[in-house]
Amino acid sequence: MGVDNQGARRLLVTGGAGFIGGALVRHLIRETPHAVLNVDALTYAGNRDSLAEVEGHERYRFSHTDIREARSMRRLLAEFRPDAVLHLAAESHVDRSIDAPADFVTTNVVGTFTLLEEATAYWRSLPEAERRRFRFLHISTDEVFGSLGATGAFSETTPYDPSSPYAASKAAADHFVRAWHRTYGLPVLVTNCSNNYGPYQFPEKLIPLMILKALAEEPLPVYGRGENVRDWLYVEDHVRALLTVLAAGTPGETYAIGGRGERTNLDVVRQVCRLLDEVRPRRGGTSYESLISFVPDRPGHDLRYAIDPAKIERELGWKASVPFEVGLRWTVQWYLDNRDWCERVLSGAYRLERLGLGREGSA
């Protein structure tokens, strides 16, 4: 799917008001000729403020629709007639899945099943040439693989071993997508990505949470001793990877997407503090690191994630281009420059409190 007008496609994006989905939609409208239908239920983490730059664009359309609503999805597919579905709609926060797992089952599993059913019926109705061109791209996570030890990395052949309700729900969705390819022939593509970061991320996630708490002079809660390792991927790099897979990926294949950016959680928090010390120093000159507070770990906290992206690098020519130190600097500055956006997204029930303590309220 190139960027010339002859390569223009009609893309239905689910979850396009969320963090990764929003970055994808903005990129598609800004950098490509594709038409986009953004389907989002606008749950707490979905925010149309993140899409202000594309609202009103002639190639962009928004539908406030839940993917679990089969009749509505059937109507949207028939009306928009997409060349591809890019499925990002999901409940995505591990801590919330510990407190309220049912939401993750209904959205991530039942919602994906419903979308597959309707997409398959739509795909079968297409003329042969359009049917051959159609793709269903399912965006998933490395958390489906469970936890790594001190060495090694996840790849496309790593066995699934999910630890949290969130990871289990995404693993189930992945399996349904692959089953629809093998059983019904739906031309699917699956991606499993590492931890994303960047502008417009909902502040329950580690990096924006630490930025906003530091600016508010509140304790910076780090689980356990901060030794858990994640592989960080700048969200724009992820968007480029998704469009590369959509354009050149082989139906039925899986592609692991990672930034080769492993860091412990404590290292990340300290880097955030050092950047804030530089660009927004505290009164009196004390480092923000003095706010770091170690708290009891969350249940089932995986020790280490790391992605081996060799397949997508070798077969499709994609590589992450934004070093973590550069992307983190850009991200910190964005949150400093967009405090009004932060206030608007925090105007609901979530106020930066800790989640994921479990049903009994204890770790």
Side-chain angles (χ1 to χ4, degrees):
M1 298 193 179
V3 295
D4 59 297
N5 287 331
Q6 289 185 343
R9 296 290 186 267
R10 300 175 66 80
L11 306 180
L12 189 156
V13 177
T14 72
F19 170 48
I20 299 172
L24 174 63
V25 168
R26 292 191 302 272
H27 180 94
L28 285 168
I29 298 301
R30 185 177 61 242
E31 305 290 343
T32 82
H34 306 318
V36 177
L37 170 59
N38 177 5
V39 178
D40 199 296
L42 294 179
T43 58
Y44 74 95
N47 194 313
R48 292 184 71 176
D49 277 358
S50 304
L51 299 164
E53 71 178 70
V54 303
E55 293 283 359
H57 195 284
E58 62 181 7
R59 289 187 286 107
Y60 175 72
R61 175 182 165 194
F62 177 81
S63 177
H64 184 188
T65 301
D66 193 315
I67 60 170
R68 295 170 292 185
E69 299 172 2
R71 184 176 300 177
S72 297
M73 293 310 304
R74 190 177 312 143
R75 174 182 56 80
L76 290 173
L77 286 162
E79 291 177 355
F80 186 66
R81 295 189 63 81
D83 299 297
V85 172
L86 290 80
H87 178 36
L88 297 94
E91 293 284 348
S92 66
H93 191 44
V94 173
D95 289 359
R96 285 185 184 270
S97 81
I98 295 170
D99 293 339
D103 294 340
F104 289 72
V105 175
T106 57
T107 297
N108 299 357
V109 184
V110 177
T112 298
F113 161 77
T114 303
L115 187 61
L116 284 167
E117 286 275 81
E118 298 307 323
T120 301
Y122 164 76
W123 167 69
R124 286 173 170 168
S125 74
L126 294 173
E128 184 177 351
E130 294 179 30
R131 195 161 58 245
R132 286 198 305 267
R133 191 166 61 241
F134 182 83
R135 297 290 184 270
F136 185 103
L137 173 54
H138 174 66
I139 290 82
S140 189
T141 171
D142 58 359
E143 298 200 30
V144 299
F145 302 123
S147 184
L148 288 166
T151 61
F154 300 134
S155 73
E156 292 80 4
T157 60
T158 301
Y160 277 34
D161 187 22
S163 300
S164 68
Y166 162 64
S169 70
K170 290 297 289 185
D174 292 6
H175 290 319
F176 271 100
V177 171
R178 293 192 182 98
W180 254 244
H181 175 70
R182 294 173 185 172
T183 303
Y184 305 111
L186 185 68
V188 309
L189 300 154
V190 177
T191 60
N192 296 91
C193 70
S194 59
N195 277 41
N196 280 225
Y197 71 101
Y200 294 103
Q201 189 169 30
F202 191 76
E204 67 190 357
K205 301 292 189 175
L206 177 66
I207 289 174
L209 180 67
M210 294 301 114
I211 295 169
L212 296 183
K213 280 189 169 291
L215 294 174
E217 295 284 337
E218 296 179 6
L220 307 181
V222 176
Y223 289 158
R225 301 305 302 172
E227 296 171 346
N228 301 77
V229 175
R230 298 296 181 261
D231 179 0
W232 294 93
L233 175 67
Y234 192 63
V235 68
E236 287 290 336
D237 272 337
H238 187 196
V239 166
R240 290 192 305 103
L242 294 179
L243 296 182
T244 299
V245 170
L246 186 63
T250 301
E253 290 292 310
T254 297
Y255 298 90
I257 303 170
R260 298 187 184 274
E262 288 183 63
R263 302 286 190 285
T264 68
N265 288 346
L266 183 56
D267 285 343
V268 171
V269 175
R270 284 173 170 165
Q271 281 191 256
V272 169
C273 290
R274 288 193 290 269
L275 284 168
L276 288 172
D277 288 341
E278 176 187 334
V279 299
R280 187 65 59 85
R282 299 171 74 187
R283 291 179 181 177
T286 305
S287 173
Y288 287 97
E289 286 193 42
S290 66
L291 296 173
I292 292 175
S293 172
F294 295 100
V295 299
D297 209 349
R298 73 180 178 210
H301 196 181
D302 290 331
L303 175 63
R304 177 173 166 263
Y305 301 149
I307 285 277
D308 177 4
K311 178 178 177 179
I312 189 174
E313 293 174 347
R314 180 183 66 252
E315 295 185 6
L316 305 186
W318 173 90
K319 288 187 178 181
S321 63
V322 180
F324 181 73
E325 290 74 17
V326 174
L328 186 63
R329 179 176 291 274
W330 292 345
T331 301
V332 168
Q333 191 61 54
W334 188 89
Y335 280 94
L336 289 173
D337 295 340
N338 291 273
R339 298 296 299 281
D340 54 342
W341 179 89
C342 299
E343 288 302 315
R344 288 196 299 273
V345 302
L346 290 173
S347 62
Y350 180 66
R351 303 301 301 178
L352 303 178
E353 73 272 18
R354 178 172 181 182
L355 304 170
L357 291 172
R359 296 180 184 275
E360 302 303 320
S362 65

